[in-house]
Amino acid sequence: MTAAAHASDVQFMRTPNGGIQPQAALAPNGTLHLIYFKGEPMAGDIFHVTGKPGQSFSKPKRVNSAPGSAIATGTIRGAHIALDGGDRPHVAWMGSRDAEPRPKEGAPMLYTRLNDAGDQFEPQRNLLTWATGLDGGGSLAADRQGNVYVAWHAGPEGHDAGEEARAVFVARSTDRGKTFTRETRAGEQRTGACGCCGMRAFADSAGNLALLYRTANGESRDMNLLLSNDQGKNFQSTLLSKWAIFKCPMSSATLTEAGGRILATTEKAGQVALNIIDPKSSKTTGLRIPDTGKAAKHPIAVGNKRGEFLLAWIEGSGWNRGGTIAWQIFDAQGKPTSAKGRGQSSPTWSLLSAVARPNGDFLLFY
């Protein structure tokens, strides 16, 4: 069944200007913010456009102040976007090999935000000061109270003991990204972190901060959630899934909010998973995802005002190879509906992103 058979449920939209790795954020006033990558996979640029869902976009603004300072290779090292309480976009990404400003060792974790005038992005900043070894990219989150968080996984300073020594680090801002603290370790558990797997940061409408990443302990590479209700000072750890695998699967993950709950998408053994998390109790419910019989990667999920969820993923993708987009809508009780599809092609190194339109339909970028 193709997406066209359910056009009223899911609308596909190609990333503008031939870009890849779209990341969309919908402001409360209905303005859609979209960033995307364009250029050489190892040294390209990030662009930002705005518009209303389903309408034309604005003229693109380049996000990175130093040309060629972003990476698309590997799919999971791209840029992430978050909106603060004033709907100002904030963007963070893993810098390319020659990106500036550089840390004393390894790749930089770069950040910028739209300036006060709203006409261009501020000069990019490197927030990595001592936790070196950035590889799988990073993420960021912003809440309505002015807190901005940039997170990544790396190793302690000068320490090269492998993935089991890696940890998640967070740099925090309480003034909407004007200044940041020196990065600190998130949580006390020594879980390790899978070096080439992407992670995700997210702040919900109540100000809870969630960090989702893949561990690496020598026996398995599990998905772990860190949840903080005090602006990133303390974290509670929740294991979402176990996976007895001894090599990096180069997976990605996402976090979004729907009806006061957090939606977490992950990968495991060629299939995708969706967990629903109550941020107050940390109770987690896993939805049963129909097995498609095809290798699936890079899942995303978004909920609409009717309580339904869209889960989408890419099948058959790999290193320097695109794939086929598939999707499934779940009802408010978490049961698969008849609305599903497969068919559109995803470009090489790209990802998916989606928002729920005011009428409850979904807009899927690829």
Side-chain angles (χ1 to χ4, degrees):
M1 186 178 298
T2 66
H6 293 283
S8 62
D9 295 325
V10 179
Q11 178 186 352
F12 280 72
M13 180 169 286
R14 181 71 178 90
T15 304
N17 305 311
I20 61 172
Q21 297 186 353
Q23 296 287 289
L26 188 63
N29 66 4
T31 299
L32 179 66
H33 293 258
L34 184 74
I35 60 171
Y36 58 87
F37 179 96
K38 191 173 176 64
E40 293 296 324
M42 285 297 292
D45 299 308
I46 307 160
F47 292 92
H48 170 262
V49 293
T50 60
K52 297 293 183 180
Q55 299 180 8
S56 60
F57 286 107
S58 64
K59 181 180 178 180
K61 294 182 178 70
R62 194 177 72 194
V63 172
N64 49 306
S65 56
S69 56
I71 300 174
T73 304
T75 307
I76 47 81
R77 299 180 176 91
H80 293 180
I81 185 173
L83 305 180
D84 64 20
D87 297 337
R88 182 199 295 237
H90 302 256
V91 184
W93 69 99
M94 176 179 171
S96 61
R97 182 176 301 172
D98 299 319
E100 297 291 346
R102 298 193 59 77
K104 65 179 182 180
E105 181 182 342
M109 187 67 217
L110 299 175
Y111 162 84
T112 186
R113 62 177 187 168
L114 193 66
N115 65 10
D116 292 338
D119 58 357
Q120 63 181 344
F121 282 81
E122 296 178 347
Q124 62 197 46
R125 288 177 266 166
N126 172 38
L127 300 184
L128 194 157
T129 68
W130 68 275
T132 60
L134 174 66
D135 185 8
S139 189
L140 88 163
D143 64 24
R144 309 304 290 179
Q145 292 73 45
N147 299 297
V148 182
Y149 311 91
V150 177
W152 63 94
H153 53 75
E157 184 178 15
H159 195 71
D160 189 23
E163 292 177 315
E164 294 179 40
R166 296 176 70 85
V168 174
F169 294 86
V170 183
R172 296 182 291 131
S173 171
T174 58
D175 53 12
R176 301 186 187 279
K178 184 178 181 180
T179 61
F180 280 86
T181 64
R182 190 171 186 252
E183 69 265 32
T184 57
R185 193 170 192 147
E188 298 299 325
Q189 285 190 321
R190 298 299 188 259
T191 63
C194 193
C196 292
C197 281
M199 65 167 293
R200 185 66 62 154
F202 178 72
D204 68 10
S205 56
N208 299 298
L209 173 64
L211 305 174
L212 181 60
Y213 70 101
R214 188 173 296 283
T215 68
N217 59 16
E219 297 179 356
S220 64
R221 294 177 186 259
D222 310 326
M223 289 304 301
N224 199 50
L225 177 75
L226 298 175
L227 190 62
S228 172
N229 58 13
D230 59 2
Q231 291 74 52
K233 300 180 183 66
N234 298 282
F235 289 88
Q236 180 177 339
S237 179
T238 300
L239 182 66
L240 292 189
S241 69
K242 293 185 67 65
W243 188 4
I245 183 175
F246 302 102
K247 63 180 181 179
C248 175
M250 291 196 71
S251 66
S252 62
T254 65
L255 293 168
T256 56
E257 184 177 12
R261 299 174 295 177
I262 295 176
L263 307 181
T265 64
T266 61
E267 304 175 22
K268 180 180 178 181
Q271 295 298 304
V272 297
L274 173 60
N275 289 90
I276 303 176
I277 302 150
D278 182 344
K280 294 181 180 180
S281 64
S282 295
K283 180 181 178 181
T284 300
T285 302
L287 292 189
R288 182 177 180 275
I289 310 300
D291 190 341
T292 65
K294 299 178 183 295
K297 291 187 68 64
H298 308 310
I300 63 164
V302 64
N304 65 15
K305 63 181 183 180
R306 294 192 290 264
E308 298 167 326
F309 309 123
L310 166 69
L311 177 68
W313 60 92
I314 303 174
E315 297 177 347
S317 65
W319 187 263
N320 201 26
R321 184 180 72 245
T324 300
I325 301 169
W327 57 275
Q328 169 78 61
I329 291 181
F330 296 82
D331 64 20
Q333 287 71 48
K335 297 180 180 179
T337 72
S338 61
K340 60 182 179 180
R342 178 183 291 109
Q344 268 79 0
S345 296
S346 175
T348 301
W349 303 132
S350 199
L351 292 167
L352 306 174
S353 190
V355 297
R357 303 181 69 175
N359 66 357
D361 292 344
F362 298 100
L363 184 59
L364 179 65
F365 293 93
Y366 67 102

mmCIF file of all heavy atoms in Angstrom, residues 312-331:
data_model
loop_
_atom_site.group_PDB
_atom_site.id
_atom_site.type_symbol
_atom_site.label_atom_id
_atom_site.label_comp_id
_atom_site.label_asym_id
_atom_site.label_seq_id
_atom_site.Cartn_x
_atom_site.Cartn_y
_atom_site.Cartn_z
ATOM 1 N N ALA A 312 7.515 6.193 11.597
ATOM 2 C CA ALA A 312 8.081 6.038 10.252
ATOM 3 C C ALA A 312 9.535 5.618 10.372
ATOM 4 O O ALA A 312 10.211 5.928 11.359
ATOM 5 C CB ALA A 312 7.952 7.344 9.465
ATOM 6 N N TRP A 313 10.034 4.918 9.361
ATOM 7 C CA TRP A 313 11.403 4.428 9.384
ATOM 8 C C TRP A 313 11.888 4.225 7.950
ATOM 9 O O TRP A 313 11.140 4.416 6.983
ATOM 10 C CB TRP A 313 11.483 3.123 10.173
ATOM 11 C CG TRP A 313 10.651 2.009 9.625
ATOM 12 C CD1 TRP A 313 11.024 1.048 8.732
ATOM 13 C CD2 TRP A 313 9.260 1.735 9.926
ATOM 14 N NE1 TRP A 313 9.984 0.189 8.457
ATOM 15 C CE2 TRP A 313 8.889 0.588 9.174
ATOM 16 C CE3 TRP A 313 8.318 2.347 10.750
ATOM 17 C CZ2 TRP A 313 7.606 0.057 9.237
ATOM 18 C CZ3 TRP A 313 7.042 1.809 10.797
ATOM 19 C CH2 TRP A 313 6.694 0.677 10.053
ATOM 20 N N ILE A 314 13.159 3.842 7.805
ATOM 21 C CA ILE A 314 13.762 3.607 6.497
ATOM 22 C C ILE A 314 14.228 2.162 6.411
ATOM 23 O O ILE A 314 14.938 1.683 7.296
ATOM 24 C CB ILE A 314 14.951 4.559 6.241
ATOM 25 C CG1 ILE A 314 14.496 6.013 6.371
ATOM 26 C CG2 ILE A 314 15.553 4.316 4.856
ATOM 27 C CD1 ILE A 314 15.637 7.020 6.273
ATOM 28 N N GLU A 315 13.839 1.476 5.349
ATOM 29 C CA GLU A 315 14.214 0.076 5.153
ATOM 30 C C GLU A 315 15.292 -0.036 4.085
ATOM 31 O O GLU A 315 15.252 0.646 3.065
ATOM 32 C CB GLU A 315 12.985 -0.730 4.732
ATOM 33 C CG GLU A 315 11.898 -0.759 5.794
ATOM 34 C CD GLU A 315 10.653 -1.488 5.350
ATOM 35 O OE1 GLU A 315 10.509 -1.771 4.134
ATOM 36 O OE2 GLU A 315 9.803 -1.774 6.228
ATOM 37 N N GLY A 316 16.257 -0.922 4.340
ATOM 38 C CA GLY A 316 17.287 -1.218 3.346
ATOM 39 C C GLY A 316 18.403 -0.198 3.238
ATOM 40 O O GLY A 316 19.237 -0.300 2.337
ATOM 41 N N SER A 317 18.463 0.775 4.137
ATOM 42 C CA SER A 317 19.531 1.767 4.059
ATOM 43 C C SER A 317 20.814 1.206 4.657
ATOM 44 O O SER A 317 20.804 0.238 5.421
ATOM 45 C CB SER A 317 19.135 3.048 4.794
ATOM 46 O OG SER A 317 18.993 2.805 6.186
ATOM 47 N N GLY A 318 21.929 1.816 4.308
ATOM 48 C CA GLY A 318 23.224 1.374 4.811
ATOM 49 C C GLY A 318 24.284 2.407 4.521
ATOM 50 O O GLY A 318 23.985 3.554 4.169
ATOM 51 N N TRP A 319 25.533 2.003 4.653
ATOM 52 C CA TRP A 319 26.632 2.931 4.433
ATOM 53 C C TRP A 319 26.628 3.405 2.979
ATOM 54 O O TRP A 319 26.705 2.594 2.060
ATOM 55 C CB TRP A 319 27.966 2.265 4.769
ATOM 56 C CG TRP A 319 29.121 3.223 4.718
ATOM 57 C CD1 TRP A 319 29.981 3.406 3.686
ATOM 58 C CD2 TRP A 319 29.507 4.129 5.744
ATOM 59 N NE1 TRP A 319 30.899 4.378 3.989
ATOM 60 C CE2 TRP A 319 30.634 4.845 5.257
ATOM 61 C CE3 TRP A 319 29.026 4.423 7.020
ATOM 62 C CZ2 TRP A 319 31.283 5.826 6.010
ATOM 63 C CZ3 TRP A 319 29.673 5.396 7.769
ATOM 64 C CH2 TRP A 319 30.784 6.083 7.269
ATOM 65 N N ASN A 320 26.492 4.703 2.801
ATOM 66 C CA ASN A 320 26.484 5.314 1.472
ATOM 67 C C ASN A 320 25.361 4.743 0.593
ATOM 68 O O ASN A 320 25.506 4.626 -0.613
ATOM 69 C CB ASN A 320 27.848 5.140 0.798
ATOM 70 C CG ASN A 320 28.069 6.154 -0.310
ATOM 71 O OD1 ASN A 320 27.490 7.250 -0.303
ATOM 72 N ND2 ASN A 320 28.900 5.821 -1.283
ATOM 73 N N ARG A 321 24.221 4.425 1.220
ATOM 74 C CA ARG A 321 23.100 3.861 0.488
ATOM 75 C C ARG A 321 21.782 4.314 1.112
ATOM 76 O O ARG A 321 21.599 4.236 2.330
ATOM 77 C CB ARG A 321 23.168 2.326 0.531
ATOM 78 C CG ARG A 321 22.080 1.636 -0.311
ATOM 79 C CD ARG A 321 22.193 0.125 -0.245
ATOM 80 N NE ARG A 321 21.796 -0.419 1.037
ATOM 81 C CZ ARG A 321 22.616 -1.043 1.866
ATOM 82 N NH1 ARG A 321 23.894 -1.204 1.547
ATOM 83 N NH2 ARG A 321 22.183 -1.525 3.021
ATOM 84 N N GLY A 322 20.898 4.822 0.289
ATOM 85 C CA GLY A 322 19.577 5.212 0.757
ATOM 86 C C GLY A 322 18.682 4.009 0.965
ATOM 87 O O GLY A 322 19.134 2.859 0.942
ATOM 88 N N GLY A 323 17.397 4.251 1.143
ATOM 89 C CA GLY A 323 16.483 3.146 1.380
ATOM 90 C C GLY A 323 15.054 3.517 1.040
ATOM 91 O O GLY A 323 14.794 4.523 0.371
ATOM 92 N N THR A 324 14.128 2.716 1.502
ATOM 93 C CA THR A 324 12.709 2.897 1.235
ATOM 94 C C THR A 324 11.994 3.304 2.516
ATOM 95 O O THR A 324 12.191 2.687 3.571
ATOM 96 C CB THR A 324 12.085 1.592 0.703
ATOM 97 O OG1 THR A 324 12.749 1.210 -0.502
ATOM 98 C CG2 THR A 324 10.602 1.780 0.421
ATOM 99 N N ILE A 325 11.158 4.317 2.433
ATOM 100 C CA ILE A 325 10.447 4.828 3.593
ATOM 101 C C ILE A 325 9.187 3.984 3.842
ATOM 102 O O ILE A 325 8.436 3.674 2.917
ATOM 103 C CB ILE A 325 10.055 6.298 3.384
ATOM 104 C CG1 ILE A 325 11.310 7.153 3.142
ATOM 105 C CG2 ILE A 325 9.269 6.828 4.583
ATOM 106 C CD1 ILE A 325 11.011 8.547 2.664
ATOM 107 N N ALA A 326 8.965 3.632 5.101
ATOM 108 C CA ALA A 326 7.758 2.916 5.506
ATOM 109 C C ALA A 326 7.168 3.628 6.720
ATOM 110 O O ALA A 326 7.884 4.289 7.478
ATOM 111 C CB ALA A 326 8.080 1.462 5.830
ATOM 112 N N TRP A 327 5.853 3.473 6.915
ATOM 113 C CA TRP A 327 5.196 4.157 8.030
ATOM 114 C C TRP A 327 3.957 3.408 8.486
ATOM 115 O O TRP A 327 3.386 2.600 7.768
ATOM 116 C CB TRP A 327 4.838 5.591 7.648
ATOM 117 C CG TRP A 327 3.959 5.716 6.428
ATOM 118 C CD1 TRP A 327 4.370 5.746 5.121
ATOM 119 C CD2 TRP A 327 2.540 5.818 6.388
ATOM 120 N NE1 TRP A 327 3.288 5.859 4.282
ATOM 121 C CE2 TRP A 327 2.150 5.917 5.033
ATOM 122 C CE3 TRP A 327 1.550 5.845 7.373
ATOM 123 C CZ2 TRP A 327 0.817 6.020 4.644
ATOM 124 C CZ3 TRP A 327 0.207 5.954 6.990
ATOM 125 C CH2 TRP A 327 -0.143 6.044 5.631
ATOM 126 N N GLN A 328 3.582 3.691 9.719
ATOM 127 C CA GLN A 328 2.416 3.066 10.348
ATOM 128 C C GLN A 328 1.800 4.059 11.327
ATOM 129 O O GLN A 328 2.519 4.723 12.077
ATOM 130 C CB GLN A 328 2.837 1.801 11.106
ATOM 131 C CG GLN A 328 1.780 1.191 12.008
ATOM 132 C CD GLN A 328 0.739 0.405 11.231
ATOM 133 O OE1 GLN A 328 1.068 -0.561 10.562
ATOM 134 N NE2 GLN A 328 -0.527 0.830 11.330
ATOM 135 N N ILE A 329 0.463 4.184 11.313
ATOM 136 C CA ILE A 329 -0.227 5.017 12.286
ATOM 137 C C ILE A 329 -0.855 4.126 13.347
ATOM 138 O O ILE A 329 -1.445 3.088 13.035
ATOM 139 C CB ILE A 329 -1.298 5.894 11.611
ATOM 140 C CG1 ILE A 329 -0.610 6.964 10.736
ATOM 141 C CG2 ILE A 329 -2.173 6.587 12.663
ATOM 142 C CD1 ILE A 329 -1.571 7.893 10.039
ATOM 143 N N PHE A 330 -0.712 4.528 14.616
ATOM 144 C CA PHE A 330 -1.302 3.830 15.747
ATOM 145 C C PHE A 330 -2.418 4.687 16.333
ATOM 146 O O PHE A 330 -2.332 5.916 16.336
ATOM 147 C CB PHE A 330 -0.241 3.569 16.821
ATOM 148 C CG PHE A 330 0.866 2.646 16.375
ATOM 149 C CD1 PHE A 330 1.926 3.136 15.624
ATOM 150 C CD2 PHE A 330 0.841 1.312 16.710
ATOM 151 C CE1 PHE A 330 2.941 2.289 15.206
ATOM 152 C CE2 PHE A 330 1.855 0.457 16.303
ATOM 153 C CZ PHE A 330 2.905 0.950 15.538
ATOM 154 N N ASP A 331 -3.456 4.044 16.851
ATOM 155 C CA ASP A 331 -4.551 4.801 17.451
ATOM 156 C C ASP A 331 -4.183 5.240 18.866
ATOM 157 O O ASP A 331 -3.083 4.953 19.357
ATOM 158 C CB ASP A 331 -5.851 3.996 17.427
ATOM 159 C CG ASP A 331 -5.806 2.728 18.270
ATOM 160 O OD1 ASP A 331 -4.956 2.617 19.177
ATOM 161 O OD2 ASP A 331 -6.637 1.834 18.018
#
